[in-house]
Amino acid sequence: MGKTTGFLEYVRADDRARPPEERVRDWEEFHLPLPDEERRRQGGRCMNCGVPFCQTGMVWEGRAFGCPLHNLVPEWNDMVYAGNLPHALSRLLKTNNFPEFTGRVCPAPCERACICGIYGESVTVRDNEHAVIEAGFAAGLVRRQRPPQWSGRKVAVVGAGPAGLAAADQLNHRGHSVTVIEREARPGGLLTYGIPNMKLPKDVVRRRVELMIDEGVSFVTGVDAADPAVARRLLAEYDAVVLCCGAEEPRPLGLDTAGVSGVFYGTEYLKSAVERHIFRRENVAVPTAEGQDVVIVGTGDTASDCVATALRQGCRSLTQLVRRRREDYLSPDGTLALDYAHEETMAILGADPRRFGVQVQSLVTAEDGTLTGVVTTEGDTLPCQMLIAATGFSGCRRDVCEAFGVEAERTVRTREGSFATNVAGVFAAGDMRRGQSLVVWAIAEGRAAAAEADAYLIGYTNLVRPL
């Protein structure tokens, strides 16, 4: 513990952010780093608890507390305070393959488990993590690490999202020849296509993928493993297959949308926005929200990202309908938390876009089926030419499961306490096995599945299973 009384002397200081009025004009990252001395003080707030619950990774009363990767939080916070970047980086990378992702987009269950937060404010664990990994890259300390020898075993990882990347990274470092199969044109999964650039810049994802390629991982994009011929080839040519295809089936909106234009799911809207504004692709699936009256149904990160994206595209009006009551979202002191997107909406449109306890009851359309409005459960009609359903996901794609012959219900069925499917040599991890969850849980799943696949391939493993 670098500063014994640090948690008493220093107050929490979050990373700064660009003003909302400025950042909505572009798609660039909006968080700004703290000065080095202030960052050291934030590391000094860590209490080095006898039982560091920030590392527990447990689910209690339906909520996740602590890091499922069991990150060595007190150890690298101590090194942050001491100014020892190489040691802080080594402790961070021991448990987390991709701190540059979790340090940006994780909702920080570690901070909800921070003892310092019981009587005050928790330690800025996520911001400290982000600072350590970015400083490590800037200083050239994140270097290529190829395995000393190759095992002669071949592994196919299907899906290049956080779970697939983590599994591939672990198995590659164990000396197996790893090929990642990705349906989209670029690796990253939701890191690339589901999270807007201002939260997770795509060059950050590309930087990690390029490092993995330099370390020996092969990526094959534009190939859909749901094709039975592709699945048969992978099963025949590889010693093991790890399925990490996510939970892509959206939860139905519950409305009759047949023949209605202007209704989209949140993930397809965000994906089209990334393709249009970041990758400069034309003729994307979903139109822009420019000049439109937009209604977004749902809460959570996807809904907030849709709000922020619609603002940047220049929507005319914006309303977010939240099913639960406002009281359910109040903090203990009675205040309503504002996400980055809500701050931006208030700055640009002058009001919080959320309406609580309200849902869409029916749609209003023109004769040609074009959406013109929505009728809410409170009886009023909102003008709407674009309705976005950010209502979560109901499970994984069945076509991939059928192609590989693995049993599945909502998600892929594996043995209890295992990542192995009913098909020998085929494993599953991430949202495809767990269901819709966080990036940090996906990384933990990928690491755990890699350990089990490694033991299957060579009879033992020295990889640590976080789950």
Side-chain angles (χ1 to χ4, degrees):
M1 185 175 183
K3 180 67 171 174
T4 308
T5 56
F7 68 97
L8 297 173
E9 297 178 28
Y10 305 138
V11 298
R12 177 180 173 115
D14 294 294
D15 280 355
R16 300 168 297 175
R18 297 161 57 202
E21 301 87 349
E22 171 191 317
R23 66 191 192 224
V24 296
R25 300 188 188 126
D26 58 51
W27 301 89
E28 301 305 315
E29 190 166 18
F30 61 86
H31 282 121
L32 303 172
L34 291 175
D36 291 344
E37 186 57 34
E38 181 58 52
R39 178 60 61 207
R40 289 185 65 248
R41 286 194 286 267
Q42 294 308 302
R45 294 187 67 238
C46 183
M47 300 165 65
N48 193 21
C49 305
V51 179
F53 288 100
C54 54
Q55 300 175 193
T56 56
M58 61 184 286
V59 177
W60 184 63
E61 293 187 348
R63 296 182 63 191
F65 290 86
C67 181
L69 291 169
H70 311 302
N71 279 338
L72 306 174
V73 176
E75 295 187 28
W76 45 260
N77 270 330
D78 183 23
M79 291 299 99
V80 167
Y81 177 74
N84 190 336
L85 174 61
H87 196 184
L89 183 65
S90 71
R91 306 313 289 162
L92 177 57
L93 291 176
K94 186 175 181 64
T95 56
N96 189 349
N97 302 69
F98 314 123
E100 66 270 33
F101 303 155
T102 53
R104 287 175 164 88
V105 304
C106 185
C110 52
E111 295 185 17
R112 289 204 293 268
C114 177
I115 300 299
C116 195
I118 294 179
Y119 297 107
E121 294 187 287
S122 61
V123 175
T124 56
V125 179
R126 180 181 61 189
D127 288 353
N128 292 355
E129 176 182 311
H130 179 208
V132 169
I133 187 63
E134 288 303 324
F137 271 109
L141 297 176
V142 183
R143 303 186 182 97
R144 179 182 73 184
Q145 295 184 15
R146 288 189 173 179
Q149 62 184 28
W150 299 100
S151 69
R153 304 293 196 275
K154 296 172 59 179
V155 183
V157 176
V158 181
L165 292 177
D169 197 41
Q170 292 291 95
L171 290 167
N172 178 68
H173 287 149
R174 280 290 282 157
H176 306 307
S177 297
V178 181
T179 300
V180 181
I181 312 298
E182 171 56 43
R183 181 185 57 180
E184 301 295 343
R186 293 174 173 83
L190 65 85
L191 301 171
T192 296
Y193 293 102
I195 301 175
N197 196 76
M198 55 273 192
K199 283 179 64 175
L200 179 57
K202 304 315 159 194
D203 57 359
V204 171
V205 181
R206 184 175 62 251
R207 179 181 65 185
R208 176 59 68 169
V209 169
E210 289 176 350
L211 177 60
M212 291 178 66
I213 292 172
D214 196 23
E215 292 179 334
V217 179
S218 299
F219 287 85
V220 178
T221 59
V223 175
D224 192 349
D227 183 343
V230 173
R232 285 194 299 269
R233 181 175 177 181
L234 295 179
L235 291 170
E237 296 183 1
Y238 290 85
D239 300 300
V241 176
V242 185
L243 301 177
C244 304
C245 303
E248 295 185 334
E249 290 298 322
R251 184 174 291 118
L253 189 56
L255 298 168
D256 183 9
T257 60
V260 179
S261 61
V263 182
F264 309 98
Y265 285 106
T267 49
E268 64 174 338
Y269 172 66
L270 293 174
K271 178 184 176 183
S272 292
V274 169
E275 290 178 327
R276 174 183 289 108
H277 300 294
I278 307 304
F279 300 141
R280 304 300 178 186
R281 180 182 169 188
E282 299 180 357
N283 301 320
V284 296
V286 180
T288 178
E290 182 178 3
Q292 305 293 305
D293 298 299
V294 179
V295 174
I296 297 169
V297 179
T299 187
D301 291 337
T302 299
S304 292
D305 292 341
C306 290
V307 169
T309 298
L311 279 177
R312 283 164 175 77
Q313 289 182 339
C315 63
R316 180 165 51 200
S317 68
L318 183 59
T319 305
Q320 181 182 354
L321 302 182
V322 180
R323 177 177 56 85
R324 291 165 59 186
R325 305 174 308 157
R326 184 178 185 275
E327 290 73 20
D328 294 337
Y329 297 91
L330 297 180
S331 63
D333 63 2
T335 59
L336 180 64
L338 294 176
D339 200 343
Y340 81 103
H342 304 135
E343 293 176 350
E344 293 172 356
T345 310
M346 294 177 69
I348 303 305
L349 301 180
D352 190 323
R354 292 171 290 183
R355 287 182 57 179
F356 295 93
V358 183
Q359 289 290 275
V360 175
Q361 181 171 282
S362 59
L363 307 178
V364 180
T365 62
E367 292 184 1
D368 62 356
T370 302
L371 182 68
T372 61
V374 297
V375 179
T376 74
T377 51
E378 292 187 340
D380 60 325
T381 300
L382 300 175
C384 176
Q385 298 83 47
M386 177 175 280
L387 175 63
I388 302 173
T391 49
F393 304 90
S394 61
C396 64
R397 291 174 57 193
R398 289 301 185 90
D399 51 1
V400 176
C401 300
E402 292 169 357
F404 285 89
V406 301
E407 297 175 351
E409 295 175 354
R410 280 187 60 253
T411 56
V412 173
R413 186 183 302 164
T414 59
R415 297 193 301 269
E416 185 175 356
S418 170
F419 294 81
T421 70
N422 60 295
V423 178
V426 178
F427 303 84
D431 290 1
M432 190 175 194
R433 189 193 80 98
R434 178 184 178 83
Q436 180 186 1
S437 191
L438 306 176
V439 168
V440 68
W441 279 99
I443 296 172
E445 289 256 329
R447 288 173 66 92
E452 191 167 341
D454 183 40
Y456 168 82
L457 290 166
I458 59 176
Y460 77 100
T461 185
N462 61 8
L463 296 175
V464 177
R465 280 187 56 160
L467 302 175

